[in-house]
Amino acid sequence: MHTSSSDQRTATYSATPRTRPTRKPDRAHYDEATVHAILDEEFVCHLGFIADGAPVVLPTLYARVGHRLYLHGSTGSRPQRSASDGLDVCVTVTITDGLVLARSAMNHSVNYRSVIAHGTAYRVTSPDELSTAYDAVIEQVVAGRSADCRMPNAKERAQTAILRLDLDEVSAKVRAGGVADDPEDMELPYWAGVVPLARTTAAPAQDPAQDPAITLPPYLRTEI
Amino acid sequence: MHTSSSDQRTATYSATPRTRPTRKPDRAHYDEATVHAILDEEFVCHLGFIADGAPVVLPTLYARVGHRLYLHGSTGSRPQRSASDGLDVCVTVTITDGLVLARSAMNHSVNYRSVIAHGTAYRVTSPDELSTAYDAVIEQVVAGRSADCRMPNAKERAQTAILRLDLDEVSAKVRAGGVADDPEDMELPYWAGVVPLARTTAAPAQDPAQDPAITLPPYLRTEI
């Protein structure tokens, strides 16, 4: 059971049977700083839910606002249609930081940071909260952008649906650092080490239909 | 219902009610070339299954071998323990290729390629198939590596579990290209365009405990 609530937050989420890993417990983290930093670095989560008795996992845009996630979808999509009365979900965000090449096949690994949140998601219906969520989803992708585009009109709002998931039952898992080979393997002749991975951006390509006098905004020069 | 089987493959997977998208059907692809190319570019999938009646999504290493996925785990992990009699899963692989910044908030999008596979996964028990799967998972991460490390011994094999999922009910979704703004928005003064995203590698960092005379293998110079 979790002990935190929106009125009584501490800086740590509480472990529950579902968020306690069955193995490698040293990789689990529950502090908000670790959990939120991972959530804030990405913008695509994998949203799991049950449809017709079977699991479904959809890549989904999201935003974190405080202790809450907003999950983006169209009003016609399966999870959004199902969520009026609450939809049990598992939201997973994964960032891969490196390939860990050990001397033994067994000790090969991946450096990664992931967050898994369990809970019941609800359709956002309040116009104010919807506005907050729309802005947050755009900001999650490119900070600074929500103030520099045309906001949705009434018709567009009616086509977009947002699910809200309160962050209560949530944990992070982090694997970092170098190779961990067994002592008896240390002299084996296989190259061992870490290949760092990162997501990078290339030069933004302006819409050819746009007047080139409209220059790249500052948030695309500094944030990306 | 799908019409392909392992004896009777065509170059296209068959659409089923689950793999037919509820929206943007033009983004769906069922041909093997598209599906396999996406699967072959990644090595982390998001594995969805049901545990105690609730959805769970775990980042999981995988490999594709022909029309089959192998999903890597420890014998103690939840999906591997549950899968002796078959475990209903949804396996999703997502690659993000770019941020699409439109003039309107509504038309913001992400260029991505994803594959979703539904089916029943089974624990691999045949020693030969396990060896194939171990090699394939390492090759999926770094092609060439499985022949250049110490293979698992009997004890290590006993700690590793592999699930097999036959690719039958599978589809790809692809969003590519530029901005798609509404005609009435084209003259708005907001910068519009695409910010390309890619996963890149930095210089491999050798394990400091290893003799530097062991130099970087060719597959790390050419494949990554």
Side-chain angles (χ1 to χ4, degrees):
Chain A
M1 295 292 293
H2 65 90
T3 54
S4 62
S5 76
S6 50
D7 300 320
Q8 219 183 359
R9 291 278 176 191
T10 67
T12 301
Y13 293 103
S14 300
T16 73
R18 283 204 288 201
T19 64
R20 229 172 254 121
T22 54
R23 52 195 292 275
K24 302 207 163 74
D26 52 306
R27 292 186 184 174
H29 300 267
Y30 303 93
D31 60 291
E32 287 186 6
T34 301
V35 169
H36 292 182
I38 294 167
L39 291 174
D40 293 354
E41 190 169 322
E42 252 295 334
F43 52 88
V44 175
C45 69
H46 281 80
L47 168 64
F49 59 99
I50 300 174
D52 299 326
V56 178
V57 179
L58 298 183
T60 298
L61 290 175
Y62 73 93
R64 180 184 74 84
V65 176
H67 299 92
R68 184 168 282 180
L69 294 183
Y70 290 114
L71 309 164
H72 179 270
S74 80
T75 47
S77 69
R78 282 177 295 184
Q80 303 281 356
R81 279 180 297 165
S82 317
S84 302
D85 303 321
L87 178 71
D88 283 348
V89 300
C90 179
V91 173
T92 300
V93 172
T94 306
I95 301 165
T96 48
D97 293 324
L99 312 175
V100 182
L101 277 61
R103 296 158 182 84
S104 66
M106 180 72 181
N107 285 314
H108 276 63
S109 190
V110 172
N111 280 341
Y112 69 97
R113 291 167 289 147
S114 68
V115 164
I116 299 186
H118 303 271
T120 305
Y122 296 90
R123 272 284 289 273
V124 175
T125 53
S126 136
D128 281 355
E129 191 177 4
L130 277 172
S131 289
T132 300
Y134 291 138
D135 281 1
V137 169
I138 289 190
E139 287 294 301
Q140 183 92 19
V141 181
V142 180
R145 182 67 181 178
S146 69
D148 191 36
C149 57
R150 178 179 67 69
M151 281 291 100
N153 56 34
K155 185 182 156 207
E156 291 169 341
R157 285 170 189 270
Q159 292 168 7
T160 310
I162 300 274
L163 296 185
R164 176 186 62 232
L165 175 68
D166 285 337
L167 290 173
D168 277 320
E169 196 169 355
V170 58
S171 62
K173 245 179 125 180
V174 177
R175 200 281 183 205
V179 173
D181 262 311
D182 299 334
E184 60 269 31
D185 290 335
M186 293 303 285
E187 298 307 317
L188 290 176
Y190 309 115
W191 187 91
V194 174
V195 180
L197 299 176
R199 184 156 65 192
T200 54
T201 57
Q206 188 171 23
D207 182 355
Q210 186 168 58
D211 181 352
I214 299 178
T215 54
L216 202 62
Y219 52 82
L220 283 183
R221 283 178 247 149
T222 57
E223 294 277 341
I224 292 182
Chain B
M1 294 293 294
H2 65 89
T3 54
S4 62
S5 77
S6 49
D7 300 319
Q8 219 182 358
R9 290 281 175 190
T10 66
T12 300
Y13 293 103
S14 300
T16 74
R18 284 205 287 201
T19 63
R20 229 171 256 122
T22 53
R23 51 194 292 276
K24 300 206 164 79
D26 51 307
R27 293 186 183 173
H29 300 267
Y30 303 93
D31 60 292
E32 288 187 5
T34 301
V35 169
H36 293 182
I38 294 167
L39 291 173
D40 292 354
E41 189 169 323
E42 251 296 333
F43 52 88
V44 174
C45 69
H46 281 80
L47 168 64
F49 58 101
I50 299 173
D52 299 327
V56 179
V57 179
L58 297 182
T60 298
L61 290 173
Y62 74 92
R64 181 184 74 84
V65 177
H67 298 93
R68 184 168 282 181
L69 293 184
Y70 290 113
L71 308 165
H72 178 271
S74 80
T75 47
S77 68
R78 282 177 294 185
Q80 303 282 355
R81 280 180 296 165
S82 318
S84 302
D85 303 320
L87 178 71
D88 283 347
V89 300
C90 178
V91 173
T92 301
V93 172
T94 306
I95 301 166
T96 48
D97 292 324
L99 312 177
V100 182
L101 277 60
R103 295 159 184 82
S104 66
M106 180 72 181
N107 285 313
H108 277 64
S109 189
V110 172
N111 280 341
Y112 70 97
R113 291 165 289 147
S114 68
V115 165
I116 299 185
H118 303 270
T120 306
Y122 295 91
R123 272 284 289 274
V124 175
T125 53
S126 138
D128 281 356
E129 191 177 7
L130 277 172
S131 289
T132 300
Y134 291 139
D135 281 1
V137 169
I138 289 191
E139 288 293 303
Q140 183 93 20
V141 181
V142 180
R145 181 68 182 177
S146 69
D148 191 36
C149 58
R150 177 178 69 68
M151 281 292 100
N153 57 35
K155 185 183 155 208
E156 291 170 341
R157 284 170 191 272
Q159 292 167 7
T160 309
I162 300 274
L163 297 185
R164 176 185 63 231
L165 175 68
D166 286 336
L167 291 173
D168 277 321
E169 197 168 354
V170 58
S171 63
K173 243 179 126 180
V174 177
R175 200 281 181 205
V179 172
D181 261 312
D182 299 333
E184 60 270 31
D185 289 334
M186 293 303 284
E187 297 307 318
L188 289 176
Y190 309 116
W191 187 92
V194 175
V195 181
L197 300 176
R199 185 155 66 194
T200 54
T201 57
Q206 189 171 23
D207 183 356
Q210 186 169 58
D211 182 352
I214 298 177
T215 54
L216 201 64
Y219 53 81
L220 283 184
R221 283 177 248 146
T222 57
E223 294 277 342
I224 294 183

